[in-house]
Every structure is written in structure tokens, then in C-alpha cells.
Amino acid sequence: MATDFTEANAADAVVDSFADTPDPRLRTIMSSLVRHLHAFVRDVEPTLPEWEQAIDFLTAVGQKCDDKRQEFILFSDALGVSMLVETINARGAAETTASTVLGPFHVVESPPRELGDSIDLLGGEPCVVTGRVRSVDGTPLPGARLDIWQASDRGFYDVQQPDVQPEGNLRGLFTADADGAFWFRTVVPSYYPIPTDGPVGQLLTATNRHPYRPAHIHFIVSADGHVPVTTHVFVADSPYIDSDAVFAVKRSLIREFRVVDDEDEASAYGVPAPFRLATVEFVLERREQG
Ligand code: BEZ
Ligand code: FE
């Protein structure tokens, strides 16, 4: 139907135009996108200036992106879409570590580090994170790889403060030992706002939403023959633990970062007392053969 475009037949006309798409998945996606978009427009009935404003918003989102800033990911995060995609793709993996958003700050390669190294290059309240990586059946995963990144105790990633933090600060690529165990030293991260100096920040302001994420450490954990997991460990007593701006908190990922005021324990980890200690276990799903 190429003529007589009406409100009633608009969606069908556009869906029909994709009928010859050779890739069936692309045809399904485009048809669904068109039907949902048209339903949205019929529901909202935007004025022409409002539609222009929507186009200007998306243009600004694109213009804010560069190799260190991803405003489209931020937009998807703030709408809960990133977490929805994550959650759909982790269906049926109940005993494995829950996944969360990658976020926009995994933009530089984490420096390889030895177990026990500090990822904090500037100093702050000492913190030790220890843990283990295992398969769902309990088998330890020696040689598992852990890509780790976090914000500082002031709530900034290295790439946000190139004049303050050296590149690679609070990032590290670790390899678990023969028992699948790992440990590293760091500082307790702070809660922080997602970047608000762009169109997504303006949208949060206009809708009276706060921009904060509760304190967390990011992990991508991978091991041979297993499905990698992208996740966070959240600091239990952090502000905003119940109202994450990007909806990424899952209860199973919250850990106590307890205060340890014991000289012997501190010296065993090579940190001064008191320090904070968190322990975490990552459970990966075996990859299906073939
Ligand atoms: C982050 O945790 O790094 C993050 C995730 C989503 C939006 C902004 C930041
Ligand atoms: Fe983060």
C-alpha cells in the first residue's frame, strides 16, 4: 500500500515495505519496531515542535558520543533498557552470578596485574577484595580472568579525571590461581552520579530523577569453556542502594565491606589497619558444546 497513508493504515504500510527483507530476524525486528513506534506516536500524539525536540534530543545524544563517552549507552541505561536486555539474556541461569550493565566506563583496556596488587595508584581508605571463581557444579576455575574497574573514593573514573588520575587507575586484569581464587587491594569506591553534562542529564533534571548509582566495583569474569559474566559487586551500606539511576542492583550482588581492625590480618594482606574487607564468589555457567 503506497498511497492513502492514514493514521489507521500507517503501521501496516510501513511493515509491508519490509516484506522482502532477506534476513528474517531483521524483518521481525523492523516490523516490531515500526508497530511499537507507531503505537507510541498514536498514544502521545506529539505536536510538530515536540517531534522536533525529540529529534534534537537524539541528535544531541549522538553528538555527545566519542571514544571516551557513550551517551547512547547512558540513555539506554537510564531507561532501564540495558538492564532489561541483560536480564532477558541471562534467563535460565539461576545459580550463576547475576549479570548487570557494562556501563559507559569500560573504555580503556585494564592493565594486567598480579594477584594481591593494588589497583589504586593514588591512596585512600584501604580495602581488600578476595574471592573465588567456580563453575555451577562447584569445580574451581583455575586461570579464570577478572577484568575489574571502579570509581574512586571521590566517585570518579580515571577517564573522567585525566588531569587527576593516571590512566589505568582503579582498573586491573587479574588471573585466578590454581584454586580459582583471587585477591586484590583497592579503595572503597564511592557512590557517584552518572554523567549529567549531556542530554541524558538534562532529561533526568526535567523529570526530577536523581542521577546517582550506589557504590560498586565492576567485574567481567571469564573462564575457558564457560559463559562470561559482566557484573557488579555493590557496597552494602551505600547510599542509593535502593534507587540506582540505571536499575542495576540485584540483591545477590550486594556485599558487606566490613571494617577489619586487626593488625595481623592487615599485615597478612599488606595493608594498614583498619581496612575494609569484601569477599565474593563468582559462579559461571558451562558453555554448551557445539
Ligand atoms: C557505571 O557503573 O559505570 C555506569 C553504568 C551505567 C551508567 C553510567 C555509569
Ligand atoms: Fe560504575
Side-chain angles (χ1 to χ4, degrees):
M1 180 188 321
T3 57
D4 266 345
F5 189 98
T6 67
E7 282 182 46
N9 70 18
D12 286 340
V14 182
V15 167
D16 285 353
S17 77
F18 288 110
D20 293 336
T21 306
D23 178 344
R25 179 68 176 156
L26 180 59
R27 189 166 64 244
T28 302
I29 291 170
M30 291 314 299
S31 301
S32 180
L33 177 66
V34 167
R35 291 213 181 279
H36 284 85
L37 263 182
H38 280 234
F40 166 72
V41 170
R42 279 197 304 273
D43 182 35
V44 172
E45 298 190 337
T47 62
L48 289 172
E50 282 172 340
W51 190 241
E52 208 173 304
Q53 203 181 348
I55 300 293
D56 287 348
F57 176 81
L58 291 175
T59 304
V61 169
Q63 286 171 340
K64 195 73 188 169
C65 295
D66 58 29
D67 61 338
K68 298 253 161 80
R69 175 77 181 252
Q70 235 306 346
E71 195 76 359
F72 270 112
I73 296 183
L74 201 58
F75 187 32
S76 155
D77 294 340
L79 295 184
V81 174
S82 305
M83 271 310 288
L84 181 58
V85 173
E86 277 294 335
T87 305
I88 286 170
N89 281 279
R91 263 189 212 141
E95 317 99 72
T96 60
T97 297
S99 60
T100 61
V101 289
L102 178 68
F105 293 118
H106 189 250
V107 282
V108 292
E109 242 172 65
S110 301
R113 301 196 195 277
E114 300 297 324
L115 292 178
D117 276 358
S118 181
I119 61 172
D120 165 50
L121 310 177
L122 293 177
E125 185 190 7
C127 174
V128 172
V129 178
T130 69
R132 229 166 61 97
V133 186
R134 67 167 175 88
S135 190
V136 270
D137 64 4
T139 319
L141 294 174
R145 294 163 297 281
L146 300 108
D147 188 351
I148 298 165
W149 69 107
Q150 66 166 78
S152 68
D153 51 4
R154 302 278 170 92
F156 295 100
Y157 287 86
D158 56 351
V159 291
Q160 293 177 292
Q161 289 188 307
D163 300 333
V164 177
Q165 298 187 44
E167 188 169 304
N169 190 39
L170 298 170
R171 297 178 191 268
L173 202 54
F174 291 89
T175 303
D177 70 13
D179 298 320
F182 68 89
W183 75 282
F184 61 93
R185 289 173 290 156
T186 183
V187 292
V188 181
S190 171
Y191 65 90
Y192 63 84
I194 63 173
T196 53
D197 59 339
V200 174
Q202 287 166 6
L203 180 65
L204 294 182
T205 304
T207 52
N208 233 349
R209 279 182 53 182
H210 78 70
Y212 291 99
R213 299 217 58 211
H216 57 272
I217 302 178
H218 293 259
F219 292 82
I220 299 175
V221 186
S222 54
D224 294 346
H226 288 74
V227 180
V229 67
T230 299
T231 191
H232 296 18
V233 170
F234 291 95
V235 180
D237 51 6
S238 173
Y240 306 105
I241 199 82
D242 293 323
S243 64
D244 185 358
V246 304
F247 309 97
V249 177
K250 291 182 176 172
R251 217 168 293 142
S252 63
L253 300 175
I254 301 175
R255 290 288 176 284
E256 296 293 334
F257 281 59
R258 67 184 173 89
V259 178
V260 179
D261 198 359
D262 180 297
E263 293 292 346
D264 292 340
E265 216 176 330
S267 71
Y269 287 121
V271 293
F275 68 102
R276 306 270 298 266
L277 178 64
T279 302
V280 56
E281 185 175 60
F282 294 107
V283 183
L284 303 190
E285 189 180 10
R286 214 173 275 284
R287 199 190 292 281
E288 279 171 29
Q289 301 293 322

mmCIF file of all heavy atoms in Angstrom, residues 157 192 213 216 218, ligand 2:
data_model
loop_
_atom_site.group_PDB
_atom_site.id
_atom_site.type_symbol
_atom_site.label_atom_id
_atom_site.label_comp_id
_atom_site.label_asym_id
_atom_site.label_seq_id
_atom_site.Cartn_x
_atom_site.Cartn_y
_atom_site.Cartn_z
ATOM 1 N N TYR A 157 35.717 7.959 37.674
ATOM 2 C CA TYR A 157 36.581 7.012 36.961
ATOM 3 C C TYR A 157 37.790 7.763 36.410
ATOM 4 O O TYR A 157 37.720 8.982 36.171
ATOM 5 C CB TYR A 157 35.800 6.353 35.809
ATOM 6 C CG TYR A 157 34.797 5.345 36.312
ATOM 7 C CD1 TYR A 157 33.523 5.739 36.691
ATOM 8 C CD2 TYR A 157 35.142 4.009 36.446
ATOM 9 C CE1 TYR A 157 32.602 4.819 37.185
ATOM 10 C CE2 TYR A 157 34.237 3.083 36.930
ATOM 11 C CZ TYR A 157 32.967 3.488 37.299
ATOM 12 O OH TYR A 157 32.075 2.577 37.791
ATOM 13 N N TYR A 192 28.217 7.560 42.995
ATOM 14 C CA TYR A 192 28.541 8.681 42.098
ATOM 15 C C TYR A 192 27.384 8.950 41.142
ATOM 16 O O TYR A 192 26.544 8.076 40.927
ATOM 17 C CB TYR A 192 29.828 8.386 41.294
ATOM 18 C CG TYR A 192 29.718 7.202 40.358
ATOM 19 C CD1 TYR A 192 29.185 7.343 39.094
ATOM 20 C CD2 TYR A 192 30.154 5.945 40.750
ATOM 21 C CE1 TYR A 192 29.072 6.254 38.236
ATOM 22 C CE2 TYR A 192 30.045 4.851 39.906
ATOM 23 C CZ TYR A 192 29.502 5.015 38.653
ATOM 24 O OH TYR A 192 29.386 3.940 37.811
ATOM 25 N N ARG A 213 24.334 6.433 41.290
ATOM 26 C CA ARG A 213 24.490 4.992 41.341
ATOM 27 C C ARG A 213 25.100 4.632 42.691
ATOM 28 O O ARG A 213 26.035 5.302 43.152
ATOM 29 C CB ARG A 213 25.473 4.507 40.254
ATOM 30 C CG ARG A 213 25.015 4.815 38.842
ATOM 31 C CD ARG A 213 25.397 3.681 37.918
ATOM 32 N NE ARG A 213 24.800 2.456 38.414
ATOM 33 C CZ ARG A 213 25.323 1.245 38.274
ATOM 34 N NH1 ARG A 213 26.471 1.098 37.650
ATOM 35 N NH2 ARG A 213 24.720 0.191 38.770
ATOM 36 N N HIS A 216 29.970 0.648 43.822
ATOM 37 C CA HIS A 216 30.105 -0.713 43.266
ATOM 38 C C HIS A 216 31.469 -0.881 42.619
ATOM 39 O O HIS A 216 32.144 0.103 42.289
ATOM 40 C CB HIS A 216 29.022 -0.961 42.212
ATOM 41 C CG HIS A 216 29.061 0.044 41.105
ATOM 42 N ND1 HIS A 216 28.381 1.240 41.159
ATOM 43 C CD2 HIS A 216 29.740 0.059 39.923
ATOM 44 C CE1 HIS A 216 28.620 1.932 40.069
ATOM 45 N NE2 HIS A 216 29.452 1.253 39.303
ATOM 46 N N HIS A 218 33.030 -2.994 39.257
ATOM 47 C CA HIS A 218 32.635 -3.750 38.052
ATOM 48 C C HIS A 218 33.561 -4.947 37.844
ATOM 49 O O HIS A 218 34.781 -4.838 38.070
ATOM 50 C CB HIS A 218 32.804 -2.887 36.800
ATOM 51 C CG HIS A 218 31.890 -1.724 36.719
ATOM 52 N ND1 HIS A 218 30.762 -1.721 35.941
ATOM 53 C CD2 HIS A 218 31.946 -0.491 37.276
ATOM 54 C CE1 HIS A 218 30.159 -0.552 36.025
ATOM 55 N NE2 HIS A 218 30.863 0.216 36.838
HETATM 56 FE FE FE B 2 30.278 2.121 37.604
#
